[in-house]
Amino acid sequence: MDKKLAFILAAGISLLEPICCSAQTGVNDTTTILPDFLVIGKSRPDEEVIPAQHLDGKALEQLNSHNVADAIRYFSGVQIKDYGGVGGVKTVDMRSMGTNHLGVFYDGIQLGNAQNGQIDLGKYSLDNIEEISLYNGQKSDIFQSAKDFGSAGTIYIRTRHPKFRGKRRYNLNVTFRTGSFGLLNPSARFEYKISDRVSASVNAEYTFATGRYRFRYRKMFPDGTLAWDTTATRKNGDIHSFRAEAGVYGKIQGGRWYGKLYFYDSEKGIPGAIVNNVWKNSQRQWDRNLFVQGSWQKSLGDKWDLMANAKYARDHMRYLNPDTTLMYIDNKFRQDETYVSIAAKYEILRDWDISVAADWQWNALDASLVNFVMPQRHTLLTAVASAWRGHGFKAQGSILGTFVYDRSEIISDNTNLGTRHKRFHEFTPAIFLSWQPWESRQFNIRAFYKKIFRMPTFNDLYYTDIGNADLKPEYVSQYNVGFLYDFTFTNSIFESLHLSLDGYHNRITDKIIAVPKGTGQYRWMMMNIGKVRIFGLDFAASSEITLPAGISLNGRINYTFQKAMDYSDPSDNKDAAGTYKGQIAYIPIHSGSAVLGAYWWRLNLNYSFIYVGERWHNSSNIPVNHEQPWYTHDLSLAYSQPIGKTNLRTTLEINNLFNQQYEVICNYPMPGTNFKLIFQFDL
């Protein structure tokens, strides 16, 4: 490994600039006392080295979205796997690299799932979220935990932190949603100012829905003739869930800290796929997630910054399939995770910083499966990064060292035959560059390269009779080049224009896939035989317009082009059903979204559109595997009514306005036209 990579020049000096107030003594020697206020630093697009997308404030309010997964659909380069309904599982795939290559961070600390590596973003409501950011590669900030360097892409979810106006000591928000699918969704958030330096918040939410909706199911034979066309009701999609969060936030001299407790409990039906003329399934799933986490950050003089993070999580999951005609299943799983991190940054010169971070994580999984090996994993991550900027250039580089130790039992026929030990280590580099040719214009050219991998999950390695303990990690090499242009207009109805375009190429090797085990087709094993080559283009544009009579308009569009091809087996191209160079499953070649918002007086009208082009549910791109394009139109109208010192906001949402019948996943029909009525009360 080239030692110079540890000190690659980087740009991306801290984007959170403090606002300084200076006191001036005038002739009258008067003093003005300002009310309490909170300044929130925000990364400006022209300062970021790497491609980034943000949704916050009004942008989140515009979207007809209830959870994080629904909101992320409006980012370019993202594919959502949605199994339908209010409680359906929703996972995210970015730039076709796979869900497991995407890191999800909640208030700066990663959400984990050592069992299968997938984070169900449908569990995280927007009621307590202030901003969602998506980064390809990693953040333009070297002062971060080692884990932040460890994913091919990252989603950062920042929850609401208490903010108080004037002399207020508390805030209260009560929200109630109702609508289609028998939805009942009350939530409340209370914030309290304990002192000038310490505040606290509590947020709770309950969701109930029957999950029943009518849909039309229509299938065609490959020759174009109609197979069947029927209308039915989606059943067993009910959900009962409860989420609660509590946080304490503090400021110290030159720094800040917080502590958070999160709890989620749910029971839901799994409606399943519609196959073999089976229209109803009876599977159930119970989830219980608990984590407590905290962070501390402080500046030591003008040169040093220190940060420490810690987390403990325990997750329970039970899956029940009472259908004895197939196989009775009642499996229970329990995960434990402990995580600590420390990071330091030092300013070598005014425009040159270096950082060092070290993380340790322990994971354990227990299950009620027969002959389960009860795996444990210790992971140590160390990262060295450097950042520099000057004369319009910015650069950032890092090296991440990953050291993994797995321990599992060797069990056969309920007999413990000993212990298996497995060790792994790897160093992966990343480099990010940006150049602003003209100081007077917010035009940036940017590029990055990053090599990263993902460890096999516990299910990949140790799931009884399916896992393969000899699996190797799955590697990704990312290449990206693009530009960003921001323009602010003067003396015009146009206020701003934002344009960005990125082209990228990703190469995945040793991809972990399931293959038939032996001569039978009913038993499977995980293997490293996959290769994927991805060529893509992401485009984003947004603008704000001010019209006479106090009317304000804003809009944003995103477009993604992707050729994600399966290069696993060159010999598999002998006939039309071959998979070699076929578009991989569920990745559309063309996709995009548009959001338009209009504001006048106390009214807010929003329209959003999502388009997903043709796909295949198998790398064999033949007519029988073809999935039709789908699109939805959503509309919402909101009205705010001040009532004394309080405010009541009423919103009517209509989703899938034209009753599009579609499937995101084959044989999982999505809802048609549905509505939601929302009442928000702020005190």
Side-chain angles (χ1 to χ4, degrees):
M1 183 64 66
D2 190 344
K3 294 182 180 179
K4 293 182 179 179
L5 288 173
F7 297 95
I8 296 173
L9 299 177
I13 298 295
S14 178
L15 303 177
L16 302 180
E17 301 179 356
I19 295 181
C20 301
C21 300
S22 60
Q24 296 181 348
T25 304
V27 175
N28 298 326
D29 194 23
T30 59
T31 301
T32 301
I33 299 177
L34 298 176
D36 291 343
F37 63 94
L38 177 67
V39 177
I40 303 237
K42 183 178 178 180
S43 301
R44 296 182 307 185
D46 62 291
E47 294 278 5
E48 293 179 337
V49 182
I50 61 173
Q53 301 176 70
H54 304 275
L55 284 173
D56 61 355
K58 289 184 178 180
L60 284 173
E61 288 184 0
Q62 278 185 259
L63 308 179
N64 291 15
S65 304
H66 174 58
N67 54 57
V68 173
D70 291 339
I72 290 174
R73 296 182 304 169
Y74 295 93
F75 287 143
S76 58
V78 168
Q79 300 85 40
I80 302 292
K81 286 188 175 180
D82 189 339
Y83 292 84
V86 177
V89 174
K90 298 173 176 64
T91 59
V92 180
D93 181 5
M94 187 167 69
R95 291 187 170 182
S96 306
M97 291 179 287
T99 299
N100 292 18
H101 284 285
L102 183 66
V104 182
F105 289 76
Y106 201 76
D107 280 336
I109 299 178
Q110 188 171 8
L111 297 172
N113 186 343
Q115 181 181 352
N116 59 32
Q118 299 184 358
I119 304 300
D120 181 5
L121 292 176
K123 296 179 180 179
Y124 300 93
S125 168
L126 293 179
D127 276 1
N128 195 41
I129 291 174
E130 194 166 71
E131 182 183 50
I132 304 171
S133 302
L134 183 143
Y135 289 87
N136 295 293
Q138 61 200 37
K139 283 193 303 185
S140 298
D141 183 0
I142 63 170
F143 186 42
Q144 56 190 8
S145 67
K147 272 219 161 193
D148 291 68
F149 297 92
S151 300
T154 48
I155 292 173
Y156 287 87
I157 303 169
R158 191 179 74 205
T159 61
R160 296 180 184 272
H161 289 197
K163 296 181 278 290
F164 304 94
R165 296 182 179 275
K167 297 182 179 180
R168 290 185 61 90
R169 296 192 66 88
Y170 70 91
N171 298 317
L172 176 65
N173 173 274
V174 178
T175 303
F176 179 76
R177 295 178 178 87
T178 186
S180 302
F181 323 124
L183 177 66
L184 295 174
N185 178 216
S187 69
R189 184 177 65 255
F190 178 73
E191 301 170 343
Y192 184 71
K193 186 176 182 180
I194 300 173
S195 68
D196 289 340
R197 290 182 173 269
V198 180
S199 59
S201 69
V202 178
N203 177 252
E205 176 183 26
Y206 173 74
T207 301
F208 167 78
T210 63
R212 290 173 173 260
Y213 55 86
R214 302 279 290 176
F215 65 94
R216 182 182 178 186
Y217 204 61
R218 189 171 184 264
K219 284 291 183 180
M220 306 290 291
F221 287 117
D223 62 4
T225 59
L226 183 66
W228 64 76
D229 187 350
T230 188
T231 300
T233 299
R234 196 72 161 139
K235 299 178 180 178
N236 197 43
D238 61 295
I239 181 172
H240 303 255
S241 71
F242 174 75
R243 176 187 59 84
E245 297 181 54
V248 181
Y249 310 87
K251 294 179 287 185
I252 56 178
Q253 185 67 33
R256 61 184 183 271
W257 59 270
Y258 84 84
K260 175 180 286 291
L261 174 68
Y262 177 95
F263 176 77
Y264 177 85
D265 184 82
S266 73
E267 177 190 351
K268 60 187 176 184
I270 303 176
I274 298 176
V275 293
N276 299 325
N277 207 31
V278 176
W279 299 87
K280 180 183 177 181
N281 292 274
S282 52
Q283 290 91 345
R284 309 288 298 176
Q285 181 172 317
W286 291 261
D287 291 284
R288 181 173 295 171
N289 311 112
L290 171 71
F291 68 75
V292 56
Q293 67 182 41
S295 180
W296 174 88
Q297 185 174 332
K298 183 175 175 61
S299 297
L300 302 179
D302 298 329
K303 295 289 187 179
W304 284 96
D305 290 284
L306 295 178
M307 177 173 63
N309 297 326
K311 176 181 180 180
Y312 172 74
R314 169 165 284 193
D315 300 332
H316 292 265
M317 193 267 276
R318 178 190 175 196
Y319 171 77
L320 174 66
N321 180 8
D323 188 356
T324 56
T325 60
L326 297 174
M327 178 186 295
Y328 180 85
I329 299 174
D330 189 0
N331 291 337
K332 298 176 183 178
F333 303 88
R334 188 190 73 195
Q335 293 188 66
D336 288 280
E337 177 182 303
T338 302
Y339 168 76
V340 292
S341 169
I342 187 168
K345 184 180 74 169
Y346 178 71
E347 184 183 284
I348 301 174
L349 298 173
R350 181 178 178 182
D351 294 323
W352 185 13
D353 298 333
I354 185 173
S355 73
V356 179
D359 297 5
W360 172 78
Q361 181 170 304
W362 171 77
N363 293 96
L365 177 65
D366 193 7
S368 60
L369 299 173
V370 176
N371 293 332
F372 191 68
V373 299
M374 294 181 293
Q376 297 184 37
R377 173 174 293 175
H378 295 264
T379 305
L380 175 66
L381 301 104
T382 59
V384 178
S386 186
W388 174 87
R389 77 173 182 180
H391 308 292
F393 287 94
K394 307 172 190 176
Q396 176 179 312
S398 63
I399 294 179
L400 174 68
T402 305
F403 306 85
V404 179
Y405 166 66
D406 275 10
R407 179 185 182 276
S408 59
E409 306 295 333
I410 303 174
I411 300 177
S412 178
D413 296 328
N414 293 319
T415 302
N416 192 327
L417 303 178
T419 304
R420 179 190 291 112
H421 303 271
K422 185 175 182 181
R423 289 175 172 84
F424 169 86
H425 69 273
E426 185 67 271
F427 293 90
T428 49
I431 181 170
F432 301 82
L433 302 170
S434 176
W435 177 43
Q436 184 176 333
W438 304 284
E439 184 177 354
S440 60
R441 297 184 182 180
Q442 299 301 321
F443 176 79
N444 289 277
I445 301 171
R446 58 200 183 185
F448 77 80
Y449 162 78
K450 183 173 184 178
K451 184 177 182 180
I452 202 64
F453 66 95
R454 69 103 168 170
M455 284 295 297
T457 66
F458 283 162
N459 279 0
D460 293 336
L461 292 166
Y462 308 117
Y463 200 94
T464 302
D465 206 38
I466 296 177
N468 178 0
D470 296 322
L471 283 176
K472 296 181 292 184
E474 185 177 292
Y475 288 86
V476 174
S477 294
Q478 299 172 264
Y479 305 85
N480 186 101
V481 62
F483 76 86
L484 181 146
Y485 178 67
D486 272 301
F487 191 81
T488 302
F489 298 89
T490 57
N491 301 321
S492 171
I493 62 173
F494 288 93
E495 293 187 5
S496 63
L497 176 66
H498 166 91
L499 298 172
S500 68
L501 181 68
D502 286 279
Y504 53 89
H505 173 50
N506 302 327
R507 301 171 68 90
I508 305 176
T509 56
D510 288 332
K511 188 170 180 63
I512 300 170
I513 61 175
V515 298
K517 181 179 180 181
T519 58
Q521 295 295 315
Y522 300 99
R523 302 178 68 189
W524 297 78
M525 176 174 282
M526 311 306 294
M527 298 289 289
N528 289 106
I529 65 172
K531 294 182 181 179
V532 177
R533 302 292 181 262
I534 303 157
F535 299 87
L537 190 71
D538 288 347
F539 171 75
S542 62
S543 181
E544 295 184 7
I545 301 174
T546 300
L547 299 176
I551 299 175
S552 177
L553 305 176
N554 65 69
R556 55 185 293 155
I557 60 172
N558 292 285
Y559 167 75
T560 296
F561 167 83
Q562 282 189 107
K563 286 291 291 183
M565 295 174 287
D566 186 345
Y567 276 71
S568 299
D569 186 1
S571 65
D572 191 15
N573 59 355
K574 298 178 182 179
D575 53 43
T579 61
Y580 185 65
K581 292 188 177 181
Q583 185 83 351
I584 64 175
Y586 293 112
I587 302 300
I589 298 176
H590 304 281
S591 61
S593 65
V595 180
L596 299 174
Y599 303 85
W600 176 73
W601 192 47
R602 299 171 183 168
L603 291 172
N604 182 0
L605 179 65
N606 295 298
Y607 163 79
S608 58
F609 170 77
I610 292 177
Y611 172 80
V612 174
E614 64 176 358
R615 303 146 294 142
W616 290 264
H617 57 257
N618 190 290
S619 295
S620 176
N621 298 168
I622 58 178
V624 71
N625 295 329
H626 184 263
E627 293 292 318
Q628 290 289 338
W630 63 266
Y631 51 86
T632 61
H633 303 262
D634 302 326
L635 194 67
S636 70
L637 178 65
Y639 175 75
S640 296
Q641 175 62 56
I643 305 174
K645 296 182 179 181
T646 65
N647 184 70
L648 175 63
R649 178 183 171 92
T650 305
T651 305
L652 174 63
E653 295 181 359
I654 304 177
N655 302 306
N656 198 354
L657 188 62
F658 299 109
N659 201 34
Q660 169 83 0
Q661 301 294 307
Y662 68 101
E663 298 174 351
V664 178
I665 302 297
C666 181
N667 298 321
Y668 285 82
M670 297 292 289
T673 301
N674 60 90
F675 75 93
K676 193 181 298 178
L677 187 62
I678 306 170
F679 300 96
Q680 277 186 313
F681 179 80
D682 287 289
L683 176 61

